[in-house]
Amino acid sequence: MAKWLVKTEPSECSINDFAKAPDKSIPWDGVRNYQARNFLREMAVGDEVFIYHSSCKRIGIAGIVKVVRGAYPDPTQFDPASAYHDSRSTPAQPRWQAVDMKFVHKLPRLVQLDELKGLPGLEGLPLIRRGNRLSVMPVSEDEWQIILRLT
DNA sequence: GCCAACGTTGGC
DNA sequence: GCCAACGTTGGC
């Protein structure tokens, strides 16, 4: 099983949105970056995913969710009313993908971005590189364990 | 709210 | 295919 990390603004979707409906799968849609989309495509059912809260007061990794449905065409791209609408997409040729995720658990405490910076073993994680904007990224098994060990 | 970093767009 | 301009991300 592969591991991943996704960024989200908690005002849009936070770990608490998963926690309060643990049996409900939540679509991870609206990704509009090609590199991030390519990673979404690689996600498989059962993969675990860190939820990272960005652009907020308490920045960091808040919890874990899991993939319950692999990549499928992101419906928001076809919806003219959606903020994520993309007129270049057609159902025959969708540009963007979504996956569905479900709650696993919150971390015992928030692992802050500060703590991850400079931590040995995380040098390759795009998250901690200055100016990085990738919102979906793979996490190696070693990186995953290093992060969990902090909690 | 600022601004650096980066991805995307579009003119040539 | 280059690259300047622009828009967005995201930490501070």
Side-chain angles (χ1 to χ4, degrees):
Chain A
M1 291 291 111
K3 313 276 201 231
W4 307 92
L5 179 145
V6 296
K7 295 180 187 173
T8 176
E9 298 190 17
S11 57
E12 293 294 316
C13 179
S14 81
I15 190 67
N16 289 327
D17 294 316
F18 284 93
K20 71 189 178 199
D23 296 325
K24 193 179 149 203
S25 64
I26 295 182
W28 205 260
D29 56 21
V31 171
R32 293 295 179 269
N33 168 283
Y34 291 105
Q35 202 184 350
R37 178 205 61 189
N38 294 344
F39 287 133
L40 279 185
R41 279 187 177 148
E42 292 178 32
M43 286 186 181
V45 171
D47 286 359
E48 289 190 304
V49 184
F50 278 140
I51 295 290
Y52 172 86
H53 289 169
S54 69
S55 297
C56 60
K57 203 148 190 178
R58 303 186 63 234
I59 297 167
I61 299 173
I64 297 174
V65 299
K66 66 183 175 198
V67 178
V68 295
R69 181 184 176 191
Y72 60 96
D74 178 349
T76 64
Q77 69 194 311
F78 308 124
D79 177 4
S82 168
Y84 301 117
H85 178 240
D86 188 336
S87 58
R88 301 165 300 183
S89 287
T90 65
Q93 287 205 310
R95 301 169 80 93
W96 307 112
Q97 302 285 117
V99 299
D100 289 350
M101 312 225 228
K102 234 180 221 182
F103 185 64
V104 174
H105 56 73
K106 291 171 81 162
L107 295 190
R109 64 176 189 84
L110 184 88
V111 174
Q112 289 174 244
L113 178 59
D114 286 1
E115 304 176 64
L116 300 175
K117 286 180 179 169
L119 200 64
L122 297 188
E123 298 84 359
L125 193 64
L127 181 73
I128 59 170
R129 287 208 285 271
R130 177 180 165 80
N132 193 277
R133 295 162 57 176
L134 186 62
S135 64
V136 179
M137 67 188 76
V139 177
S140 74
E141 192 62 42
D142 285 348
E143 292 164 339
W144 185 271
Q145 293 303 331
I146 287 169
I147 292 166
L148 282 185
R149 219 171 288 139
L150 289 175
T151 59

